[in-house]
Amino acid sequence: MRANICSPNLGSVDQAPAATILHADLDAFYASVEQLLDPTLRSRPIAVGGGVVLAASYEARARGVRSGMVGWRARQLCPDLTFVGGHFAEYQRLGDEVMGVLRDFTPLVERVSIDEAFLDVAGSVHLFGAPSTMAAAIRAQVRGQVGLPLSIGVARTKHLAKIASQVAKPDGLVVVDPAEERRFLDPLPVALIWGVGPATGARLAASGIRTIGELVSTSPEVLERLVGRANGAKLGRLASNVDLRGVETARRARSMGAQAALGRRRPTPDLLATTLGYLVDRVAGRLRAAGKAARTLTVRVRFRDLRAVTRSATWMEGICATVTLTEQALALVQAALADHPGEAEITLLAVSLSQLVDEGLVQLELPLGPPGGRPAGPRPGSPAEAARRATDRSLDVVRARFGRAAAGYASVALSGDARVPEAFRELAERGGEEYGGP
DNA sequence: TCTGGGGTCCTAGGACCC
DNA sequence: TCTGGGGTCCTAGGACCC
């Protein structure tokens, strides 16, 4: 019907638009890799991590184990659960290898995370056959060549393909015929919609909206009242499957951050300086490696009850010097703590850089400095600032050759009680510009 | 006995400018 | 001197995703 209305002059009016978007998603990725590397772990409930479950095998999920769950709780639910240390370098290598397989079928691959990607195969059907045929071939090749289970959803839009791959899991393939979209979507729970989490799901459920079909038949006004204007509109678009964004092979990062959980600690000057020095050191190094500088710095402090506060500062020019950013982060955290004098302990510190600009655009002289009224500002373009950048560049070079531990600022010497392996941090931080295609 | 680390996007309110 | 509307930018907080 839609085709008849929209394109009455095309010869293919009666032909439904083709389902050429694939969403490929590796099943229980970290856990599957562990089972691949150690055959004795296969078909057993395992969890990657220790204090917190980073990933659980399907055998463990069947017992209620979920990622993000604390270790003691997971063991409680599943006493024969095996915890395995993460082979983080292997996750990266195998994830990359799978992406290589995908790119053998089309250059239009949008990698969204280490284990997940969208493909647009419209231009490849003359080479490899129908999208469903291609999806089956990809799954077989990933299983045969890499050894990992991969689920794929095939549909007309990215969002629907993603829902289809969720339905296909584990180790399955679901193709949604364009003529069958409503019949497929309507009975599914709203939680399958990208962007519907616990809070939104609960609000919808409170109004009796549990399935995507029920969501679609809800008026825009009611939806807006429940979840806000933009969210309501977005939800409407997704549920009625009219969101037609294409596959993007390259997306640039909009922010970079680092955080550290601290247990319960009194925020002494020493703790703040050491932790912020470490966090800024990490993130500023990535910033410079990307050739960027940041105009906005945001810090986050979490208290014992998991409530968190943020403070941010924005400058006219981008900054990328470790020392300057550390000074600023410290000032912001102290300001945040001063606003919450009743909090004796903190549980997390985070640093994030945004409003990223090309480093070449950093002005070198006569800076305007920060707008008035904010923390004593650095002078991003001052000679002192240029000297700091030169120091950073030298350190970056040394580290690139000899590793992170080879050089650094004295205050950054990392305490041995790091709660998370360095390798996991390095893996997790590959979420930005590295993804998005060859 | 209360959760890791790295991201994206949205909202509401205020400052400021035209 | 007061009033109004619209746009842009910034800040703080929150929901969500992998």
Side-chain angles (χ1 to χ4, degrees), chain A residues 389-411:
Chain A
R389 295 227 313 278
T391 303
D392 285 332
R393 255 192 284 276
S394 307
L395 282 177
D396 291 341
V397 169
V398 171
R399 285 173 159 177
R401 279 192 64 180
F402 302 108
R404 281 191 63 79
Y409 293 100
S411 67

Side-chain angles (χ1 to χ4, degrees), chain A residues 96 98-107 109 111 119 435-438:
Chain A
D96 290 349
V98 170
M99 297 301 145
V101 171
L102 302 184
R103 292 196 183 97
D104 287 342
F105 287 83
T106 172
V109 175
R111 188 173 189 177
L119 292 74
Y435 290 152

